């Protein structure tokens, strides 16, 4: 009940007099200066708070619980580190660089995120989608020579230029994220809805799967880029099938026959397994040993990883001269890397009841990419597979990254040369089996169809654009299409007629609630969308149709007589309807939803109108004037503060009195009821 006393309607003006008026929109003078001065002041406590906010490890490490957490973090970190080794080398091939650079990218970002990240269960490093997008750019900038007579020095030069471009992309990704952090653009990830992310990762997984076919079959084929990449690659593979290396085909078949069941067991028995079965590292070690013992590389021309240098590369700047050429593609990589990382962090933060800071995540991933680019790393992000393993293996905090980094460090310092004879076909199999979660997202489509047809359309359009066009272009198409669906929904929002539930003050759409009744002589309407320049015409047509303000076919001259006629019949219609006040106040009587007689008053429920721009405000004022000319008393109800302020600034008070703007629909109806009763008392009906 919003009325203060029986029969007393609460208008917005009266509400503000009783409970205070809102503050003016403009800020008082001197506020900016005071904010700058306050931000420039420094104290020991303020410095400590800033350190804990920008270096989260300083906040959670002093309170670290050794007993309950250390064993879980150590076990989860070691497990993830073991998985990082084969996946890092495999995803490096997706990025079109040597496998050792995948190990570098599995070490430096992990350690840096441990220091700056806020996601306790997030595992960073190489990610298939980001690596694939990086590899597409690298292939465009530095194509691999296919001449069989190319010297080793020429091939080494090409490999060096390739990692230079990939490291430059990591540098630019980090720089872009840091700029986004400075200007507080962490909210941009919200524009990637769940259907977009799932369709994008599913389409990108198909790109990865098709791109690995040459490696699975032992074919040396050029890597296609641009639109229709999947179809071009499939055509090339089909033409080159007679040249398939049987030895590599057998290796691929055996590896897939082992990895696929292991993945299925790890998924189905996740709750019963303390740690997932490390199928990737077992296959890597077995294949390396068999290839070395049987000399498969020389006897059957099996492609192997080759020399993996021990230690770390010297820090140096990447190929910054290539930044202008890769800027557009790198923006897409940065956006995808951040969106996937924040999405994963939010999912596990919600599951374990803690919060993350999206802007701090920008800083964490920006620093990780920027610093790691100095050590010949390609762009990194949070990863789906290792994050899932980290959480399921019992990880509690970011300290698990220390243990996973230690495992990769051991391989880099001492064990790297042992993987010299690892067949590249094994890495391709690891890439293919790592896509299981992404491919299975097809099973979400039937449920998405039941929940929302529009989200289903967004999923399908995004997936088709990613598959047919390209990964980055498909993502842009998906975002634009998703935004267009939102615009269309606000443009085509329906203006519904509300009816009253008997014995209540509840008003619901008559189309959906048949037992609600419409008050005779009063049209109550609701519009659940903003009123702005894009939908003002639709709103005008809907409101005019419901109130009978549509222009007659005879032309302009016929509209004025109609308004006069309507005004002349106002008092008569009230008597003809003979509406008891008990019904208007919610009595037991329930007339039919279709009211008879002319409309005397209209109430627009503005609770669903989020905002109104200048064009929408002018239109709303024009509709109020049109109602006055037609003899209809227009009333507004439940306007939020911003809408009311915009309408007032646009001159609403010149056409609508404060007694026609109410706090709720019930207040507006009570005021109309009381006014109608007073008119009836002054002009009693004459019964003949």
């Amino acid at each position: 009940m919003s009325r203060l006393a029986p029969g007393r309607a609460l208008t917005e003006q009266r509400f503000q007099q009783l409970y205070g008026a809102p503050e003016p929109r403009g800020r008082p003078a001197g506020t900016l200066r005071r904010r700058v001065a306050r931000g420039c002041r420094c104290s020991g406590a303020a410095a400590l708070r800033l350190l804990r906010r920008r270096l989260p490890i300083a906040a959670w490490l002093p309170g670290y619980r050794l007993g309950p957490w250390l064993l879980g973090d150590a076990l989860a970190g070691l497990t993830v580190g073991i998985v990082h080794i084969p996946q890092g080398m495999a995803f490096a091939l997706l990025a079109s660089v040597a496998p050792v650079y995948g190990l570098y990218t599995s070490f430096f970002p992990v350690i840096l995120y441990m220091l700056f990240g806020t996601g306790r269960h997030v595992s960073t490093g190489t990610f298939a989608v980001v690596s694939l997008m990086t590899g597409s750019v690298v292939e465009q900038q530095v194509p691999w020579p296919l001449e069989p007579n190319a010297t080793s020095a020429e091939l080494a030069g090409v490999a060096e230029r390739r990692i230079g471009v990939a490291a430059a992309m990591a540098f630019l990704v980090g720089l872009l994220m840091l700029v986004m952090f400075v200007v507080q653009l962490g909210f941009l990830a919200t524009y990637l809805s769940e259907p977009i992310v799932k369709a994008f990762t599913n389409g990108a997984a198909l790109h990865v799967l098709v791109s690995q076919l040459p490696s699975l079959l032992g074919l040396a084929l050029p890597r296609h880029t641009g639109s229709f990449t999947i179809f071009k690659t499939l055509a090339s593979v089909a033409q080159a099938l007679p040249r398939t290396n049987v030895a590599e085909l057998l290796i691929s078949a055996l590896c897939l026959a082992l990895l696929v069941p292991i993945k299925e067991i790890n998924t189905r028995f996740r709750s019963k397994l303390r740690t997932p079965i490390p199928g990737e590292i077992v296959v890597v070690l077995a294949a390396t040993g068999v290839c070395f013992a049987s000399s498969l590389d020389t006897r059957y021309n099996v492609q192997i990883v080759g020399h993996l240098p021990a230690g770390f590369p010297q820090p140096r700047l990447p190929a910054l001269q290539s930044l202008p050429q890769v800027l557009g593609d790198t923006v897409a990589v940065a956006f995808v890397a951040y969106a996937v990382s924040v999405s994963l962090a939010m999912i596990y933060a919600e599951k374990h009841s803690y919060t993350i800071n999206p802007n701090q995540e920008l800083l964490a991933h920006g620093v990780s990419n920027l610093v790691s680019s100095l050590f010949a790393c390609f762009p990194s992000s949070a990863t789906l597979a290792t994050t899932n393993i980290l959480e399921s293996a019992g990880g509690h905090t970011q300290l698990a990254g220390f243990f996973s980094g230690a495992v990769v460090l051991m391989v880099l310092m001492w064990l790297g040369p042992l993987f010299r004879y690892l067949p590249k076909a094994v890495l391709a199999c690891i890439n293919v089996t790592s896509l299981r979660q992404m491919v299975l997202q097809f099973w979400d489509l039937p449920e998405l169809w039941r929940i929302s047809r529009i989200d289903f359309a967004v999923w399908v359009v995004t997936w088709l654009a990613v598959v047919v066009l390209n990964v980055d272009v498909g993502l842009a198409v998906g975002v634009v299409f998703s935004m267009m669906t939102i615009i269309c929904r606000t443009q085509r929002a329906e203006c519904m007629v509300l009816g009253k539930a008997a014995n209540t003050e509840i008003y619901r759409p008559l189309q959906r609630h048949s037992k609600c009744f419409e008050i005779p002589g009063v049209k109550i309407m609701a519009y659940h969308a903003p009123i702005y320049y894009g939908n003002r015409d639709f709103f005008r047509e809907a409101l005019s149709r419901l109130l009978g303000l549509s222009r007659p076919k005879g032309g302009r001259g016929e509209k004025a007589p109609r308004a006069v006629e309507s005004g002349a019949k106002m008092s008569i219609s009230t008597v003809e309807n003979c509406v008891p006040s008990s019904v208007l106040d919610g009595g037991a009587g329930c007339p039919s939803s279709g009211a008879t007689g002319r409309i005397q008053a209209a109430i627009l429920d503005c609770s669903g109108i989020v905002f109104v721009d200048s064009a929408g405000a002018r239109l709303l004022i024009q509709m109020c004037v049109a109602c006055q000319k037609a003899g209809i008393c227009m009333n507004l109800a439940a306007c939020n503060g911003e809408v009311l302020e915009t309408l007032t600034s646009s001159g609403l008070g010149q056409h609508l009195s404060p007694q026609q703007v109410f706090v709720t629909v019930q207040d507006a109806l009570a005021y109309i009821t009381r006014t109608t009763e007073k008119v009836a008392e002054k002009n009693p009906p004459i019964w003949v």
Side-chain angles (χ1 to χ4, degrees), residues 65 112 189 199 247 310 326 330 353 355 396 434 450 469 472 501 521 523 546 550 572 587 592 614 632 639 654 681:
R65 300 163 61 184
L112 291 168
V326 301
T330 306
S353 302
T355 59
H396 297 283
S434 68
R450 290 192 300 269
L469 300 178
D472 49 355
K523 184 73 70 173
L546 293 177
S550 301
I572 300 176
S592 62
S614 58
I632 300 174
C639 296
Q654 300 175 9
E681 290 174 0

Side-chain angles (χ1 to χ4, degrees), residues 304-315:
I304 60 174
V305 169
H307 176 62
L308 293 178
F312 293 104
Q314 293 293 328

Side-chain angles (χ1 to χ4, degrees), residues 620-630 632 634 655-656:
L620 200 53
I621 293 173
Q622 292 171 7
M623 296 305 299
C624 291
V625 173
C627 288
Q628 290 176 1
K629 292 180 180 180
I632 300 174
M634 172 61 77
H655 307 280
L656 214 63

Side-chain angles (χ1 to χ4, degrees), residues 159-413:
E160 188 69 19
R161 291 198 301 273
R162 285 192 160 200
I163 188 56
V165 172
M169 292 183 66
F171 181 88
L172 189 54
V173 166
L175 190 61
L176 289 172
M177 288 186 176
L178 291 180
V179 171
M180 293 169 66
F181 163 74
V182 171
V183 296
Q184 302 289 292
L185 292 181
F187 68 91
L188 288 179
T190 58
Y191 287 99
L192 286 182
S193 63
E194 184 177 353
I196 292 178
V197 173
K198 288 188 175 182
F200 170 76
T201 52
N202 188 283
L206 187 58
H207 274 275
V208 174
L209 178 63
V210 174
S211 69
Q212 296 305 292
L213 288 179
S215 298
L216 293 173
L217 300 175
L219 300 173
L221 298 176
R223 186 168 173 178
H224 298 283
T225 59
S227 301
F228 308 103
T229 298
I230 289 181
F231 307 103
K232 295 176 183 176
T233 304
L234 290 175
S236 300
V237 170
Q239 293 177 356
L241 275 179
R243 304 198 307 269
T244 299
N245 189 318
V246 179
E248 293 197 61
L249 179 60
L250 290 176
I251 292 174
S252 301
L254 290 174
C255 290
L256 290 175
L258 289 174
L259 288 175
V260 171
I262 291 176
K263 288 281 186 181
E264 191 66 24
I265 292 173
N266 287 337
T267 301
R268 292 195 176 187
F269 302 98
R270 180 187 306 173
S271 58
K272 298 181 179 180
L273 294 174
R274 177 59 179 169
T275 59
I277 302 173
E280 290 91 345
I281 195 66
V282 172
V283 170
V284 164
L285 294 176
T288 303
V290 171
C291 185
F292 173 75
S294 305
S295 301
L296 297 179
D297 56 325
T298 56
R299 295 174 60 184
Y300 300 102
N301 198 25
V302 172
Q303 301 180 54
I304 60 174
V305 169
H307 176 62
L308 293 178
F312 293 104
Q314 293 293 328
R316 61 177 180 177
L317 285 174
L320 300 182
Q321 67 275 8
S322 61
L323 292 183
Q325 289 78 24
V326 301
L327 177 60
D329 298 295
T330 306
V331 171
V333 173
F335 195 57
V336 170
Y338 173 65
V340 171
S341 302
V342 171
S343 300
L344 280 175
M346 287 182 175
I347 289 172
Y348 287 100
E350 182 178 357
K351 182 177 180 179
H352 293 275
S353 302
Y354 64 90
T355 59
I356 66 163
N357 186 340
N359 282 304
Q360 180 64 26
E361 290 295 295
L362 274 174
L363 176 65
H365 290 286
V367 171
S368 298
N369 280 278
L370 189 65
V371 175
S372 62
S373 69
L374 306 179
F375 295 91
C377 296
F378 51 87
S380 63
S381 71
T383 66
L384 292 174
T386 55
T387 298
N388 187 26
I389 292 174
L390 179 65
E391 190 267 344
S392 60
H396 297 283
T397 67
Q398 295 93 315
L399 191 64
F402 171 79
F403 296 100
S404 61
V407 174
V408 180
L409 179 64
M410 291 177 56
V411 174
L412 285 172
M413 297 300 296

Side-chain angles (χ1 to χ4, degrees), residues 565-579 597-598 600 679 683 685-687:
E565 180 186 15
S566 175
K569 292 187 177 180
M570 280 183 62
S571 60
I572 300 176
S573 63
T574 304
V575 177
E576 290 174 345
N577 291 329
C578 293
V579 182
R598 292 196 175 276
Q600 307 165 38
V679 172
N683 302 289
I686 300 175
W687 301 96

